[in-house]
Amino acid sequence: MTEMQKMGQRAKKASQVLATAGKTKKVALFAIADALVNNKAKIIAQNNIDLKNGEENGLTQSLLDRLRLTDERIEGMAQGVRKVAEFDDPIGSVISGRVAENGMEIKKVRVPMGVIGIIFEARPNVTSDAAALCLMAGSAVILRGGKEAINSNTAIADVMREAIASVGLPEDCVQLVKDTTRQSSVELMGLSDYLDVLIPRGGAGLIKAVVENSRVPVIETGVGNCHAYIDKDADIDMAVNIVFNGKTQRPSVCNALETVLVHKDIAEKALPVLKAALDEKNVELHGCESVKAILGDCVIPAEEYDWANEYLDYKLALKVVDSLDDAIEHIRKYSTGHSEVIITNNYEAQRQFTAQVDSAAVYVNASTRFTDGGEFGMGAEIGISTQKLHARGPMGLAELTSMKFIITGDGQIR
């Protein structure tokens, strides 16, 4: 038996305890939150090793930002865990029920998935977010992070396991794969005897590899080629604020803007104002010929690659479109189905955009940066699902459960 299979076996055993843990799950989560705060120095010391290694290995500034942990970010991780603990336990809740003609009571109730596997990249906060959500949803979890964050992830996982054990639950409710070679990912994707679902959380390459190669059912999460469309009836100041926030507040995350489409009737007024704002953050602009004609040589001519790319950096693609229909068609062609926004005061344009744009989150006059479990009132999230089966959009507790029917009779036969 391989080490990965042993992890799967331990997770399966732990999940059987966790499935009926009830209120002890909340106690465990509060213990985890306190332990994260109390061990900040230890976690940050290990994170500094990862940051140093990342700099030596040429990680971009945006990737280093995703990797970096600070006192404030660890406090945020702990607060996210506490928020999950404060939610109602989904396990055992009745989704629907009825009494059949023959007198049988038929109820559909929420139950744990069992064992969840999560493969993610250089964001160590995912370690605590994922563990908290899976634990509250009654499932054990096997976490496999990237090599860039292995020291940070190990420190966080060790702290969580100790906290879980301190309240009487099996520490193997949470396990971290410490082998960061490609082989461990392959083994995890083949762990169908133990894993009930596998969730990749990271860049396009990782998600594609998991979807194409996993023998375990996969929930596909969010590559975010997100769009903003500035309509001819937009308030320009509002549009600039939304785009500036969507692109520059944290460009390394999946709900950041990557492409802005501007109606031709407003382009000459809107684009210079937009550029002036983006210049504050030295955003690199890639644009079509019309954009270049308005803004000049500061614009890098856009290629096909730019419309489909998730930059995750201070880069933005700009395109002038002839109409709302053209904007929607562009989004249909290049969107990854994550988050899109229309900025307009025209109610009919709003209705058409929200009806015809088929993404997990569609906004009217608000930043795409709100596509987040916490912002949607779900607490920490496991990721943003861009598929349509089982879960779509931010995935919180309910999306991490399954369901079963419980039928109670008094002797009925068929």
Side-chain angles (χ1 to χ4, degrees), residues 39-95:
N39 288 275
K40 282 190 293 187
K42 171 186 173 181
I43 295 169
I44 288 174
Q46 294 302 306
N47 182 246
N48 286 335
I49 296 173
D50 289 330
L51 288 169
K52 181 180 178 182
N53 291 338
E55 289 173 356
E56 291 176 353
N57 292 323
L59 290 186
T60 65
Q61 286 303 308
S62 61
L63 285 176
L64 288 171
D65 175 63
R66 297 177 83 158
L67 177 60
R68 182 172 289 106
L69 292 176
T70 62
D71 282 357
E72 183 180 8
R73 287 188 179 180
I74 294 175
E75 291 280 358
M77 289 161 57
Q79 186 58 29
V81 174
R82 291 190 187 100
K83 284 183 179 179
V84 173
E86 290 166 359
F87 280 90
D88 292 336
D89 188 347
I91 302 305
S93 62
V94 178
I95 301 169

Side-chain angles (χ1 to χ4, degrees), residues 105-134:
E105 180 185 73
I106 303 171
K107 294 189 296 185
K108 184 192 291 186
V109 301
R110 291 203 181 278
V111 296
M113 286 278 192
V115 180
I116 298 172
I118 301 175
I119 300 180
F120 59 103
E121 294 179 321
R123 291 184 67 181
N125 63 295
V126 174
T127 307
S128 62
D129 285 354
L133 282 164
C134 291

Side-chain angles (χ1 to χ4, degrees), residues 17 48 55 75 116 148 152 155 243 247 280 282 299 337 412:
V17 177
N48 286 335
E55 289 173 356
E75 291 280 358
I116 298 172
E148 298 85 0
S152 308
V243 171
K247 178 71 266 184
E280 294 178 25
N282 297 313
V299 177
Q412 288 89 342

Side-chain angles (χ1 to χ4, degrees), residues 199-329:
I199 303 171
R201 183 167 174 176
L206 169 68
I207 294 169
K208 184 173 186 288
V210 174
V211 169
E212 291 181 353
N213 297 297
S214 179
R215 289 169 48 206
V216 179
V218 175
I219 298 178
E220 186 173 351
T221 62
V223 176
N225 185 18
C226 302
H227 297 75
Y229 166 59
I230 302 175
D231 187 48
K232 62 183 178 64
D233 295 316
D235 179 298
I236 291 177
D237 289 338
M238 179 193 291
V240 170
N241 287 337
I242 289 172
V243 171
F244 184 80
N245 177 261
K247 178 71 266 184
T248 71
Q249 190 213 25
R250 199 170 178 196
S252 62
V253 293
C254 62
N255 58 17
L257 280 178
E258 304 293 9
T259 299
V260 175
L261 308 171
V262 185
H263 194 287
K264 65 179 182 180
D265 291 356
I266 203 173
E268 289 191 6
K269 291 182 180 180
L271 284 171
V273 183
L274 180 59
K275 177 188 178 300
L278 295 171
D279 282 348
E280 294 178 25
K281 295 289 187 176
N282 297 313
V283 176
E284 182 178 283
L285 303 179
H286 297 246
C288 67
E289 291 181 4
S290 297
V291 171
K292 191 170 178 61
I294 294 170
L295 297 181
D297 292 337
C298 66
V299 177
I300 298 170
E303 301 179 5
E304 184 72 12
Y305 164 84
D306 292 291
W307 309 129
N309 189 34
E310 184 186 27
Y311 291 117
L312 300 174
D313 202 350
Y314 288 101
K315 299 179 181 180
L316 184 68
L318 290 168
K319 184 177 183 180
V320 175
V321 294
D322 291 337
S323 65
L324 170 59
D325 288 337
D326 287 343
I328 292 172
E329 186 57 36

